């Protein structure tokens, strides 16, 4: 039987890095990776990242039926499954409650394209989803709508989602979004944030799309 050891190991490493990097506090947030067309490996619900082991990364189908492991999957499993269904090229999803991105999500404000790396790596302005109750299928649908073809989305009154080919890439998407959200707050305290010029934005979106196509990450 395939235990998906390498996939679960990559999730574990990203989950622990997510804690070290301050993207989550306590047991909040979750990380997953696609196993097959209709299954994923995901962090268990309510487990401390610092003491997390491979046993706390379970494999379930997109309806949450267990395949490997007996721990209870993250309460946001349905949101992760909704993203894998909508974006066949996505291989991993990270969800955090990092402070600056969550601040924007609470204010209901999208993260504008203020610095180049947001467009090149994430695909443009990072949109805010409509509100939905945590753990519901509706939340998944709304996050998918906010994500579109991009690699990050803000979850209204809740937090942030980043996607990539691997858990490390999904984490990088979250780091870029959080860092840029922080820059946005700083810029707002000293003046009026200026978006990057329209022609540069258009070029960078094109670069992003080419990169996504090359990696099969649509
Ligand atoms: Zn959450």
């Amino acid at each position: 039987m395939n235990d998906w050891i390498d996939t679960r190991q990559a999730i574990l490493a990203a989950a622990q890095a997510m804690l070290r990097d301050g993207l989550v506090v306590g047991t909040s947030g979750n990380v997953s990776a696609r196993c097959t067309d209709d299954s994923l490996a995901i962090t268990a619900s309510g487990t401390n990242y610092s003491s997390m082991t491979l046993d706390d990364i379970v494999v379930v189908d997109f309806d949450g039926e267990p395949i490997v492991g007996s721990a209870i999957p993250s309460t946001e499993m349905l949101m992760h499954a909704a993203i894998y269904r909508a974006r066949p090229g996505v291989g991993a999803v990270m969800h955090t409650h990092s402070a600056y991105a969550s601040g924007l999500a609470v204010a209901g404000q999208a993260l504008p394209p203020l610095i180049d790396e947001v467009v090149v790596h994430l695909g443009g302005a990072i949109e805010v989803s409509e509100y939905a109750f945590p753990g519901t299928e509706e939340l998944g649908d709304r996050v998918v709508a906010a994500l579109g073809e991009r690699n990050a989305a803000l979850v209204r009154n809740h937090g942030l989602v980043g996607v990539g080919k691997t858990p490390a890439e999904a984490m990088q998407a979250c780091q870029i979004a959080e860092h840029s959200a922080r820059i946005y707050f700083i810029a707002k305290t000293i003046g009026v944030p200026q978006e990057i010029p329209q022609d540069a934005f258009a070029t960078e979106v094109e670069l992003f799309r080419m990169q996504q196509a090359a990696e099969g990450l649509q």
Side-chain angles (χ1 to χ4, degrees):
M1 181 179 176
N2 189 344
D3 284 344
W4 302 100
I5 296 287
D6 290 350
T7 304
R8 289 158 65 213
Q9 192 74 55
I11 291 171
L12 180 61
Q16 291 177 336
M18 172 175 84
L19 178 71
R20 276 198 306 275
D21 210 47
L23 292 172
V24 289
V25 291
T27 62
S28 68
N30 28 73
V31 189
S32 73
R34 182 194 294 277
C35 291
T36 66
D37 284 349
D38 59 1
S39 67
L40 66 143
I42 189 164
T43 46
S45 177
T47 308
N48 254 311
Y49 295 108
S50 52
S51 58
M52 187 172 264
T53 70
L54 275 192
D55 289 340
D56 300 310
I57 318 286
V58 295
V59 181
V60 294
D61 70 17
F62 284 178
D63 297 319
E65 292 300 318
I67 297 172
V68 176
S70 54
I72 297 167
S74 161
T75 52
E76 296 299 0
M77 190 280 301
L78 290 174
M79 176 179 74
H80 291 246
I83 293 170
Y84 292 123
R85 280 197 175 105
R87 294 273 300 272
V90 165
V93 176
M94 178 178 281
H95 165 54
T96 78
H97 296 169
S98 57
Y100 289 92
S102 297
L104 287 178
V106 166
Q109 289 186 25
L111 174 64
L114 300 171
I115 57 173
D116 302 296
E117 62 181 350
V118 165
V119 188
V120 174
H121 294 293
L122 304 182
I126 305 307
E127 304 293 339
V128 192
S129 75
E130 293 295 313
Y131 180 82
F133 200 77
T136 60
E137 222 171 301
E138 188 182 30
L139 181 71
D141 293 342
R142 292 184 165 179
V143 169
V144 163
L147 191 60
E149 64 171 17
R150 292 169 297 277
N151 286 346
L154 298 166
V155 187
R156 177 73 77 115
N157 294 92
H158 187 152
L160 170 68
V161 164
V163 305
K165 287 300 262 189
T166 63
E169 276 189 25
M171 169 143 181
Q172 191 190 35
C174 288
Q175 285 173 311
I176 292 171
E178 174 64 9
H179 184 67
S180 306
R182 191 173 177 198
I183 290 170
Y184 188 31
F185 274 79
I186 292 168
K188 274 196 155 187
T189 64
I190 57 171
V192 180
Q194 308 290 318
E195 293 186 12
I196 55 178
Q198 190 55 43
D199 54 343
F201 177 80
T203 303
E204 287 166 0
V205 167
E206 202 49 44
L207 278 173
F208 170 78
R209 289 192 175 135
M210 282 164 58
Q211 185 69 20
Q212 295 282 95
E215 292 183 8
L217 190 53
Q218 290 97 333

